[in-house]
Amino acid sequence: MSNYHIKHLEEYFNVYRKSVRDPELFWEEIAEEHFVWRKRWDTVLEWDFKKPEIKWFQGAKLNITENCIDRHLAANGDKTAILFEPNDPAELAQQITYKQLSERVNQFANVLKSKGIQKGDRVCIYLPMIPELAISLLACARIGAIHSVVFAGFSSTALATRINDSDCKMVITADGSYRGSKAIDLKGIVDEGLTHCSSVESVLVVKRTNAAIKMIDGRDEWLQPILDDASIVCEAEIMDAEDPLFILYTSGSTGQPKGMVHTTAGYMVYTAYSFKNVFQYRPNDIYWCTADIGWITGHSYIVYGPLANGATTVMFEGVPSYPDCGRFWEIIEKHKITQFYTAPTAIRALAKEHMDFVTKHDLSSLKVLGTVGEPINEEAWHWYNDNVGKKKSPIVDTWWQTETGGIMISPLPGITATIPTYATLPLPGIQPALIGDDGQEIKGNQVDGKLCIKFPWPSIARTIWGNHDRYRETYFSAYENMYFTGDGALRDEVGYYRITGRVDDVIIVSGHNLGTAPIEDAINEHPAVAESAIVGFPHDIKGSVLYGFITLKETGEGRNHENLRKEINQIISEHIGSIAKLDKIQFTAGLPKTRSGKIMRRILRKIACNEMENLGDISTLLNPECVDEIIKERL
Ligand code: PRX
């Protein structure tokens, strides 16, 4: 008997022990009892972190959409699979049943085929949070095409970089998107981006805002008319367990984003298993994750994890502040949401608003609250617990990453005792380790170090698209036989984990993972800029914001610094998107460097955070004199 649904703490500890003692048996039982396979696997796991190579359920054949849709049809065809809440509260919510989802996915899959998309082709999806977004992922999976969703807040340049990196053959987009009271010209962004892409043969356009847009003959087509003509039957492509399911880009420490590749069977098993347990999902629950499907949270916990469990998953098109700051709470009341999963940055923003926005809504349907994406501070945790959960809905602080595919460390609600700011205990199958400065694992409790994972789990990303060396370098070269997460963590006296934040050049702004390198590369394109260094500093709503130290080619005398600041942020918006704009820009005569010429970001980080008293020894710098000036002119 598998341990698919953990119901109490003793069971968790038993299951955890079993998952470490015999991981293969543990995952094999779950895979066997809770999923449908066209052919059984030959081996459960083959792995070598040195290569690195990780293969789960080798030899198995399946299609993930048969697990997420078809198998629910007989008993639950009329159950709501996706509940769509539009941006405008006056527009009716849509309930898409499993049967309707099946038909819409199959029609969409047939459209993809009719446009020449085949198994293994990459399809870029650049859509707002409308049902077609979830449906297009599933349609790709149905025919074995690899989806690459690009968050629809990224700029045309960022979109083009991602399309080119994986040679996407098609783009699926919309005429526009809504963001609160604003309409955004998505198609215009795609048109601009595609002037730099040669691989794209066709663009399918969903009608959403009715904006007047340009359609390019021979390349662009409205989706709806072709969908209407497509059959609602589409045989699922039979996939190998390790066939890629999708690529999702995440920031790294060099300019080029990393296309993390997730494969089919392991990702399915792990996202389904973690969804069931972390949210303690029961058949009549209405689960809502507020993330965008453009991020991993949306892939794993709006689409695949919930649908694999036959759940009802809510998709929200809008923003928490439109038409007012009570929108989240209104939706919880309206749809009687049972599990609510959001980001600390949203909680902090809403906690600043008048309490009436919360108190006027009946939130009594809630059973579980979740957070993800960044550390949650104690104050926000308490606000969430007291005012939203009314102290009766446990908060699951879920730690994981684009690379991990699924939740790794998290309380199980009602089972694990929670402590604010602690992600608590690893899920079954997850073996964390803390590594000290000497590169050795630190055993025991009340210790801190760099967070690594010692053993493969089914949903670990298998490679970086087109760059396996970078995958090895980034994740498997820091410590022998370990996956390195890039995060620091501590383990307290009872073995609970608390994530302390990134230990590399990634900064998390409003829950968005931003690498400093691509932002610096963008800034350095400004003709007046000689050099730049970006660091993060704390912000009470966004968690962190960006502080840029920039040296100009000329002394900068006589230049209008305000205009330059605007131009620099404009360049960042064009290259990456407005999420990466700098909050503060300080022009400096020089940047502190080591004798080998490396910019000492650590010193700049301390200055930005106003922690000047412990800058450490700066006498060994190439140019220690610039530090005083930077401190004096700190913004
Ligand atoms: O630093 C950690 C932080 O977000 C990083 C992963 O970002 P991304 O790949 O964009 O995925 C975000 C959604 C899973 C991690 O390396 N992070 C994520 N969750 C938490 C967190 N930091 C602290 N607590 C968390 N619960």
Side-chain angles (χ1 to χ4, degrees):
M1 246 295 270
S2 81
N3 304 97
Y4 190 71
H5 183 194
I6 300 167
K7 298 189 189 64
H8 52 81
L9 194 60
E10 194 191 333
E11 189 181 6
Y12 161 77
F13 284 118
N14 286 337
V15 169
Y16 186 79
R17 274 192 294 271
K18 172 174 167 185
S19 77
V20 173
R21 201 173 51 236
D22 196 342
E24 297 188 27
L25 176 70
F26 174 74
W27 289 114
E28 176 161 53
E29 286 178 354
I30 287 172
E32 204 157 43
E33 288 172 29
H34 297 278
F35 299 89
V36 294
W37 305 88
R38 291 295 188 107
K39 176 184 169 285
R40 198 189 152 86
W41 46 91
D42 304 319
T43 54
V44 178
L45 172 65
E46 285 167 39
W47 68 291
D48 178 351
F49 274 175
K50 285 198 186 67
K51 284 186 178 168
E53 188 177 80
I54 302 145
K55 292 179 174 166
W56 283 93
F57 308 112
Q58 270 279 87
K61 304 260 184 209
L62 74 157
N63 187 291
I64 195 168
T65 65
E66 293 192 325
N67 283 275
C68 289
I69 305 172
D70 303 54
R71 64 162 159 160
H72 308 309
L73 294 177
N76 281 313
D78 294 327
K79 177 174 176 173
T80 302
I82 295 177
L83 203 170
F84 171 63
E85 173 69 25
N87 174 66
D88 181 352
E91 194 182 325
L92 285 184
Q94 277 179 45
Q95 273 139 359
I96 302 169
T97 64
Y98 272 94
K99 181 159 178 286
Q100 290 164 335
L101 183 64
S102 165
E103 294 174 359
R104 290 176 68 171
V105 167
N106 286 347
Q107 279 185 309
F108 207 136
N110 283 325
V111 168
L112 296 179
K113 280 207 232 170
S114 74
K115 296 273 134 207
I117 300 297
Q118 296 176 352
K119 178 176 176 177
D121 286 344
R122 276 78 61 205
V123 173
C124 173
I125 301 172
Y126 187 71
L127 279 172
M129 277 286 285
I130 53 178
E132 285 79 0
L133 174 52
I135 291 168
S136 62
L137 267 67
L138 295 161
C140 286
R142 187 82 179 169
I143 64 165
I146 302 170
H147 57 74
S148 168
V149 183
V150 176
F151 171 59
F154 275 118
S155 69
S156 58
T157 312
L159 173 66
T161 305
R162 287 157 176 77
I163 290 173
N164 288 334
D165 184 73
S166 48
D167 294 313
C168 294
K169 214 165 152 185
M170 173 190 268
V171 176
I172 303 171
T173 189
D175 53 354
S177 65
Y178 294 118
R179 208 177 153 70
S181 55
K182 279 194 283 195
I184 292 158
D185 177 18
L186 274 197
K187 177 63 167 49
I189 298 172
V190 171
D191 289 342
E192 169 59 33
L194 289 187
T195 60
H196 307 285
C197 305
S198 55
S199 59
V200 174
E201 291 165 11
S202 52
V203 177
L204 293 177
V205 186
V206 179
K207 196 171 254 226
R208 178 59 184 142
T209 59
N210 282 315
I213 56 161
K214 205 169 66 193
M215 296 290 277
I216 293 181
D217 249 6
R219 188 194 75 181
D220 303 352
E221 252 180 296
W222 290 104
L223 176 68
Q224 199 59 48
I226 353 178
L227 264 184
D228 291 341
D229 288 342
S231 160
I232 56 167
V233 179
C234 178
E235 270 302 308
E237 187 76 32
I238 304 307
M239 306 298 286
D240 286 336
E242 284 294 337
D243 277 339
L245 174 64
F246 66 85
I247 302 169
L248 186 60
Y249 286 89
T250 188
S251 312
S253 52
T254 68
Q256 188 71 4
K258 296 174 289 190
M260 303 314 306
V261 177
H262 283 283
T263 58
T264 307
Y267 176 82
M268 170 183 80
V269 169
Y270 194 79
T271 53
Y273 177 76
S274 51
F275 173 78
K276 175 76 182 172
N277 286 293
V278 171
F279 299 102
Q280 289 289 308
Y281 185 84
R282 304 279 177 155
N284 294 320
D285 289 347
I286 313 280
Y287 160 89
W288 180 22
C289 165
T290 70
D292 193 291
I293 293 177
W295 309 113
I296 191 71
T297 308
H299 282 60
S300 302
Y301 298 111
I302 295 179
V303 182
Y304 291 111
L307 296 178
N309 282 282
T312 298
T313 176
V314 174
M315 270 184 82
F316 174 45
E317 183 187 24
V319 292
S321 55
Y322 179 80
D324 63 38
C325 292
R327 188 70 193 277
F328 273 4
W329 323 127
E330 180 206 318
I331 295 173
I332 291 173
E333 177 174 17
K334 175 175 172 190
H335 296 302
K336 300 200 167 38
I337 302 294
T338 43
Q339 287 92 350
F340 178 66
Y341 190 30
T342 195
T345 184
I347 298 167
R348 288 189 295 262
L350 295 172
K352 290 227 173 321
E353 301 299 328
H354 201 286
M355 274 311 294
D356 282 359
F357 284 123
V358 190
T359 49
K360 74 173 178 215
H361 295 290
D362 175 5
L363 306 182
S364 60
S365 56
L366 287 171
K367 297 194 292 189
V368 177
L369 301 177
T371 70
V372 60
E374 58 183 311
I376 180 164
N377 51 307
E378 214 162 327
E379 197 185 345
W381 193 97
H382 282 295
W383 185 89
Y384 197 30
N385 186 44
D386 296 352
N387 300 298
V388 181
K390 320 282 183 202
K391 295 193 169 127
K392 65 164 188 61
S393 301
I395 297 177
V396 290
D397 176 351
T398 64
W399 174 81
W400 58 296
Q401 311 178 295
T402 305
E403 294 86 339
T404 69
I407 296 169
M408 304 284 282
I409 304 183
S410 169
L412 301 182
I415 295 171
T416 319
T418 57
I419 303 180
T421 77
Y422 280 75
T424 75
L425 298 171
L427 260 59
I430 306 306
Q431 301 186 33
L434 297 178
I435 309 298
D437 291 337
D438 60 357
Q440 298 303 310
E441 181 175 357
I442 311 169
K443 300 266 168 92
N445 289 343
Q446 279 191 296
V447 291
D448 64 77
K450 301 206 169 83
L451 179 60
C452 291
I453 313 289
K454 291 197 271 194
F455 193 86
W457 61 101
S459 65
I460 183 175
R462 304 298 197 261
T463 189
I464 291 174
W465 184 264
N467 201 342
H468 199 65
D469 285 345
R470 188 176 178 195
Y471 173 71
R472 176 184 27 245
E473 264 304 299
T474 312
Y475 304 107
F476 299 93
S477 68
Y479 308 107
E480 210 186 327
N481 251 336
M482 303 256 176
Y483 164 82
F484 174 46
T485 66
D487 282 318
L490 62 80
R491 190 164 51 223
D492 76 358
E493 60 282 1
V494 297
Y496 275 17
Y497 287 86
R498 176 176 200 244
I499 311 303
T500 46
R502 301 291 307 186
V503 293
D504 57 8
D505 287 338
V506 171
I507 304 172
I508 301 186
V509 177
S510 296
H512 301 314
N513 198 327
L514 299 172
T516 52
I519 305 174
E520 289 163 4
D521 290 350
I523 297 170
N524 298 348
E525 290 208 0
H526 191 290
V529 171
E531 259 190 325
S532 59
I534 305 299
V535 298
F537 72 103
H539 183 273
D540 62 355
I541 292 177
K542 297 179 178 178
S544 298
V545 284
L546 304 176
Y547 193 127
F549 295 92
I550 297 176
T551 54
L552 299 174
K553 283 188 179 147
E554 295 148 31
T555 55
E557 298 281 328
R559 282 190 184 276
N560 181 328
H561 281 183
E562 258 338 288
N563 280 352
L564 264 182
R565 286 191 174 94
K566 279 195 200 121
E567 287 166 23
I568 286 167
N569 267 331
Q570 184 57 32
I571 287 198
I572 296 174
S573 289
E574 284 162 13
H575 279 72
I576 299 159
S578 51
I579 49 174
K581 277 189 185 171
L582 307 183
D583 235 61
K584 290 189 181 176
I585 298 179
Q586 178 174 348
F587 295 106
T588 69
L591 296 171
K593 289 188 184 160
T594 60
R595 288 183 192 268
S596 61
K598 197 169 171 277
I599 297 174
M600 288 292 283
R601 284 193 179 67
R602 184 178 55 77
I603 292 176
L604 295 171
R605 205 173 294 129
K606 292 242 157 89
I607 297 175
C609 298
N610 205 3
E611 292 169 3
M612 268 82 80
E613 61 289 350
N614 51 7
L615 285 185
D617 180 15
I618 60 169
S619 64
T620 58
L621 291 179
L622 187 67
N623 51 352
E625 68 287 349
C626 76
V627 174
D628 278 345
E629 185 219 301
I630 296 176
I631 292 177
K632 218 179 307 145
E633 295 186 2
R634 180 179 173 273
L635 299 173

